[in-house]
Amino acid sequence: MTEGYELYGAEPSYYSGKVRAYLRFKRIPFAEYPNTPENYRKVILPRVGWAVIPVMVTPEGETLQDSTDIIDALELRFPEAPVYPSTVKQRLAALLLEVYGDEWLKIPAMHYRWNRNYDFAISEFGKMSAPELNGEAQREAGLRISKPFAGALPFLGVTPKTEAAIETSYEALLGELDRHFAVYEFLFGTRPSIGDFGLIGPLYAHQYRDPASGELMKRIAPHVVGWVQRMMKPPHPKGGEFLARDEVPATVLPVLQRMMREMLPVLVSTAHHFARWVEEHPGAKHGTEEIPRAIGMHVYALEDAKENRAIFPFDLWMLQRPLDYLASLDGDEKARARELLVAVGGEALLDFPAFPRLTRRNFKLALA
């Protein structure tokens, strides 16, 4: 048994940033270890079975993987100052914004990293994967290790056809968030919510840290910069409050409206495709066939652009969280949730197409 928690991650890592911010807010004792080849070989692969970060090892030796699973496990152990609001609208909005940050903001995050910060990213990957090397040898290691990440852009729908639309949408999002954080410390008051932690992954690791996108954020969204800094160095650790009377600030609504306009049609399409895929792959029902990361391609629209992108079942596992919360409500609470969804154009979530329920088993997506 160790003293505290071991986090295996990296500064440039999207989801490591989410977990690190949470650990700091909760004042959970932890030590962070880099994702070096040695740590993959000695810790991550033996415990998880595949190369992934972040990974957490608890003081009892339990292995946790996936930022959402890590946070949920730690919320049970450290319940003081919960990051899940207890009131209907705030909780639903926070859950939705976690989905948005975790799964949709990968599009601008990956675009800016590999199309606007390429040399910096290669350097960072080289330092992580081969700290013992220097110069050209380290750059070659960075090129080799980063190839799958840079090569993923078309699967996310990031192509020359969509680059301008991605930047238009992202800069508009920064403007919306900037207007909010000019008034509020976090999304729903003086305490960060699970929605804040969903947004910090892309907005810290890719957009704030990477130099070109960091300069963009400082120039057009200085209040977002302030929020990022508060998330990484919390002013009220294990404290702060959510707004009274279940208030979802009017300045949060445009962000939710953007999510519904851009992401919700993709989620609906994903549900239909996934239900069909499961019918065509009976082995998935019996546990003899793994659910792949992507199950084909479909078209998505962003601003005035349309492009193909991969269909990701994992998005549905994340979406189950707000859908399950909606299903748990009745009476006045259900009416209040409906009021929020109608206000942001999310009525489709009230009658979302059925799809086979998902879980995570042995650190991989599986049918429940």
Side-chain angles (χ1 to χ4, degrees):
M1 185 180 293
T2 62
E3 302 220 358
Y5 291 76
E6 299 175 5
L7 175 64
Y8 293 85
E11 275 291 325
S13 160
Y14 199 108
Y15 299 106
S16 297
K18 177 183 175 184
V19 174
R20 189 184 306 113
Y22 173 84
L23 292 168
R24 289 175 179 173
F25 169 68
K26 286 283 191 162
R27 280 188 172 167
I28 297 171
F30 77 101
E32 185 165 351
Y33 300 91
N35 60 331
T36 59
E38 181 180 18
N39 282 335
Y40 273 117
R41 185 175 65 254
K42 291 185 176 180
V43 179
I44 296 172
L45 290 173
R47 287 177 172 273
V48 179
W50 56 294
V52 63
I53 54 173
V55 170
M56 172 163 282
V57 180
T58 72
E60 298 78 20
E62 180 186 2
T63 303
L64 304 173
Q65 193 282 310
D66 182 82
S67 61
T68 296
D69 279 349
I70 291 170
I71 288 174
D72 282 358
L74 294 178
E75 278 289 281
L76 296 175
R77 295 178 177 218
F78 300 91
E80 185 179 351
V83 301
Y84 289 92
S86 61
T87 55
V88 171
K89 290 184 178 180
Q90 288 180 359
R91 191 181 187 98
L92 178 58
L95 287 167
L96 289 169
L97 289 172
E98 185 195 21
V99 177
Y100 180 60
D102 269 19
E103 306 307 328
W104 192 251
L105 292 188
K106 287 186 291 191
I107 297 172
M110 291 291 280
H111 161 65
Y112 279 94
R113 169 156 291 176
W114 297 109
N115 289 327
R116 299 290 180 262
N117 294 279
Y118 183 81
D119 287 338
F120 174 78
I122 294 300
S123 173
E124 291 282 280
F125 274 74
K127 291 174 186 176
M128 288 189 305
S129 62
E132 75 284 359
L133 301 178
N134 52 44
E136 189 58 32
Q138 194 174 78
R139 177 176 172 80
E140 288 177 5
L143 285 166
R144 184 178 65 256
I145 297 297
S146 66
K147 191 173 182 180
F149 297 93
L153 295 188
F155 296 99
L156 292 170
V158 181
T159 71
K161 190 191 298 186
T162 58
E163 285 182 12
I166 291 167
E167 294 189 359
T168 296
S169 172
Y170 173 67
E171 290 188 22
L173 170 66
L174 281 183
E176 291 156 3
L177 290 171
D178 200 62
R179 287 186 284 277
H180 175 77
F181 292 126
V183 179
Y184 300 92
E185 286 189 51
F186 300 104
L187 286 172
F188 307 108
T190 57
R191 180 189 301 176
S193 70
I194 193 64
D196 291 272
F197 292 109
L199 294 177
I200 197 60
L203 292 177
Y204 171 72
H206 286 236
Q207 306 289 34
Y208 173 83
R209 283 190 79 256
D210 290 10
S213 43
E215 285 303 312
L216 173 68
M217 184 183 288
K218 291 172 187 173
R219 178 168 55 84
I220 70 173
H223 299 295
V224 177
V225 171
W227 167 82
V228 170
Q229 293 169 343
R230 289 190 294 275
M231 288 294 291
M232 302 316 292
K233 190 176 180 180
H236 321 292
K238 295 173 69 174
E241 301 292 339
F242 294 126
L243 295 167
R245 296 180 293 279
D246 197 19
E247 179 187 355
V248 174
T251 43
V252 169
L253 300 184
V255 181
L256 287 166
Q257 288 163 352
R258 180 170 299 279
M259 175 190 178
M260 299 307 162
R261 185 168 65 250
E262 296 177 353
M263 188 182 189
L264 185 53
V266 172
L267 292 169
V268 171
S269 173
T270 301
H272 288 304
H273 280 282
F274 183 61
R276 190 177 311 123
W277 183 90
V278 170
E279 288 301 315
E280 294 170 354
H281 295 79
K285 298 178 183 179
H286 305 298
T288 58
E289 181 178 357
E290 288 189 359
I291 298 172
R293 184 162 177 255
I295 56 169
M297 304 287 285
H298 58 175
V299 175
Y300 85 111
L302 189 65
E303 300 295 328
D304 58 353
K306 289 186 177 181
E307 183 57 284
N308 291 312
R309 77 188 304 266
I311 303 165
F312 298 110
F314 193 90
D315 293 3
L316 298 177
W317 180 72
M318 285 295 298
L319 184 65
Q320 282 176 172
R321 293 158 58 75
L323 290 181
D324 286 350
Y325 182 63
L326 274 172
S328 74
L329 303 175
D330 54 26
D332 178 62
E333 290 185 337
K334 187 81 174 241
R336 287 159 57 200
R338 176 184 289 274
E339 182 182 6
L340 174 65
L341 292 176
V342 168
V344 300
E347 298 95 322
L349 289 169
L350 294 165
D351 189 25
F352 197 80
F355 59 89
R357 189 165 183 84
L358 288 156
T359 188
R360 276 170 42 84
R361 191 175 299 121
N362 298 323
F363 309 110
K364 292 184 178 180
L365 206 60
L367 293 181

